[in-house]
Amino acid sequence: MIFSFLADPAFLEDIVRILFVFVLITAAFILSTRNIASLLTVYAVQSLLLVLIASSLYFIEGNRTLLAIAALTLVSKVLLIPIFINLIGEKIKISRDLKFNYLEPTASLLVSMGLILLAYVFLSGFFNEFILGKLFFMGAVIGLSLTLMGMLVIFSRRKVITKVIGYLTMENGVLLFGIFVADLPFIIEILIVIDLMILVLLITILAIGLDSTSEEYHQRLQTLKIWSGGED
């Protein structure tokens, strides 16, 4: 009887809505947290929430592709990427990112509220929540909001490592949006491609300076002649 209650679609939809709230909370923490280890932990928790959302949708819809997405997300985003960055961060003694560009944490949180409203208004012009379904419409809104909040992290933080976490947050937003709107096999292909791009980005950053600000990072790229803003 307990199993049948847990498998009830209405109950699972309520669980997914609760998970949406926690996803937004993790995004708020990423916007405002200065401790690098805490940022990685919050990112891992956020990714785990996406695993739970995809798993819950599997029990609602029965689409096994959702289980594949959950498994891929668990391995890459909950385990491998956070552990990889954390190990390197410990070796080069990075603990905090105290520098912000343009927006301090309080201002970033206020802007993020506006981004959520913007996402809702924007998607309302493309999707009818009664046709798409309230749960799926909400998932699309939260996914787009998370993507925009990841962009805000990139815009507002100075250390390269925190900007990387902003990119990873954006990817989580794209994944969440795709789960509720796009074709699922296509989402798996896109997810693998994005993970490979992020892996290359991380390798480049680790080779040049994970502890740099964006300005120092570009200077090191110029010094190594990997990237140049102009001709010699």
Side-chain angles (χ1 to χ4, degrees):
M1 183 172 181
I2 295 177
F3 178 79
S4 61
F5 176 72
L6 293 175
D8 179 43
F11 174 76
L12 291 173
E13 288 182 7
D14 289 338
I15 293 296
V16 172
R17 291 186 179 94
I18 294 172
L19 293 174
F20 286 158
V21 175
F22 283 108
V23 166
L24 291 178
I25 291 174
T26 59
F29 271 106
I30 290 175
L31 276 170
S32 58
T33 301
R34 291 175 167 86
N35 184 277
I36 302 299
S38 297
L39 279 171
L40 291 172
T41 299
V42 173
Y43 167 74
V45 170
Q46 183 184 93
S47 301
L48 180 60
L49 292 172
L50 266 62
V51 171
L52 295 176
I53 289 173
S55 300
S56 298
L57 286 179
Y58 164 74
F59 287 109
I60 294 174
E61 297 188 341
N63 191 330
R64 293 187 178 180
T65 306
L66 288 164
L67 283 182
I69 291 175
L72 184 59
T73 303
L74 179 64
V75 172
S76 63
K77 302 177 188 302
V78 179
L79 299 175
L80 295 183
I81 291 177
I83 291 174
F84 182 59
I85 298 178
N86 190 53
L87 287 175
I88 299 299
E90 289 178 355
K91 289 183 179 180
I92 58 179
K93 308 300 182 184
I94 304 175
S95 60
R96 294 172 68 82
D97 179 9
L98 302 176
K99 299 177 180 179
F100 289 82
N101 283 328
Y102 310 113
L103 294 174
E104 291 294 321
T106 302
S108 295
L109 291 175
L110 292 175
V111 171
S112 68
M113 294 179 187
L115 292 176
I116 295 172
L117 179 61
L118 178 65
Y120 177 83
V121 173
F122 176 77
L123 290 179
S124 295
F126 288 90
F127 301 106
N128 187 315
E129 64 178 284
F130 297 103
I131 295 177
L132 187 63
K134 290 185 178 181
L135 181 68
F136 282 75
F137 179 78
M138 185 182 299
V141 170
I142 300 300
L144 180 57
S145 300
L146 187 60
T147 302
L148 295 175
M149 292 170 79
M151 293 177 63
L152 188 58
V153 173
I154 298 170
F155 176 78
S156 62
R157 307 302 287 263
R158 294 195 64 189
K159 288 288 187 183
V160 173
I161 185 173
T162 45
K163 288 182 180 292
V164 169
I165 295 175
Y167 282 113
L168 293 170
T169 302
M170 282 183 62
E171 185 196 1
N172 277 350
V174 172
L175 173 61
L176 185 59
F177 181 86
I179 287 175
F180 287 94
V181 176
D183 183 57
L184 292 178
F186 177 73
I187 288 300
I188 289 186
E189 295 175 8
I190 293 297
L191 185 61
I192 293 173
V193 171
I194 293 178
D195 281 340
L196 289 174
M197 292 173 61
I198 288 176
L199 180 60
V200 172
L201 176 64
L202 287 174
I203 292 173
T204 303
I205 289 171
L206 293 175
I208 297 173
L210 195 63
D211 58 336
S212 306
T213 63
S214 56
E215 293 83 1
E216 293 168 345
Y217 177 67
H218 290 153
Q219 288 174 2
R220 294 181 186 184
L221 285 174
Q222 290 176 349
T223 300
L224 296 174
K225 300 187 182 300
I226 296 175
W227 176 88
S228 178
E231 296 181 358
D232 294 332

